[in-house]
Amino acid sequence: MTILIILLWLANLCCDTIGQIAFKYAAISSHHRIDFDYWRILLFNRWLWLGITSYAIGFLLWIAFLSYIPLSQAILLGSANIITIMIFGHILFKEKLTFFRVLGVGLITAGVIIVGIG
């Protein structure tokens, strides 16, 4: 892989992670009763728009990444966002890291490394 491909992958990974974290912040900063007020408040939530913007940029980066990498390889490399999102979920939202979650992330990491090398 060239430096450009690695940079596109890392930038896309950052956009995916930022988008998911922003969506989580938007969800927890609005009240939890799902009614019209919830959606109205959510519509003006800055975290929601940060998430949407991150996803839009990530989409463009993903398209560029796909122009260089076969889809089967790109999908495996794209799954690295599961790792970063779980780590940041634990750090920012105090989400639990159970044995099976850590094991699963370890297997995903091993897969990403193997695909990246190959």
Side-chain angles (χ1 to χ4, degrees):
M1 279 197 277
T2 66
I3 297 295
L4 174 63
I5 295 169
I6 293 170
L7 290 175
L8 285 170
W9 174 61
L10 290 174
N12 179 262
L13 181 64
C14 288
C15 285
D16 278 350
T17 303
I18 290 167
Q20 285 296 329
I21 297 301
F23 288 146
K24 177 69 174 181
Y25 271 121
I28 64 175
S29 66
S30 302
H31 62 76
H32 294 286
R33 203 176 73 216
I34 306 296
D35 59 7
F36 180 75
D37 283 340
Y38 173 81
W39 297 109
R40 184 182 50 77
I41 291 167
L42 194 59
L43 182 63
F44 296 102
N45 189 304
R46 65 187 166 134
W47 292 107
L48 175 71
W49 291 104
L50 175 61
I52 291 170
T53 302
S54 294
Y55 264 42
I57 294 168
F59 170 76
L60 296 174
L61 291 167
W62 183 251
I63 297 293
F65 183 66
L66 285 177
S67 69
Y68 292 102
I69 299 290
L71 180 60
S72 59
Q73 187 180 13
I75 290 297
L76 291 171
L77 291 170
S79 68
N81 67 354
I82 296 168
I83 301 162
T84 58
I85 291 166
M86 189 177 91
I87 291 168
F88 280 102
H90 174 69
I91 293 168
L92 298 173
F93 305 112
K94 309 299 182 224
E95 294 177 352
K96 293 183 181 182
L97 294 180
T98 65
F99 170 75
F100 288 109
R101 287 181 185 172
V102 173
L103 177 63
V105 164
L107 292 172
I108 292 167
T109 303
V112 168
I113 289 170
I114 291 167
V115 170
I117 291 171

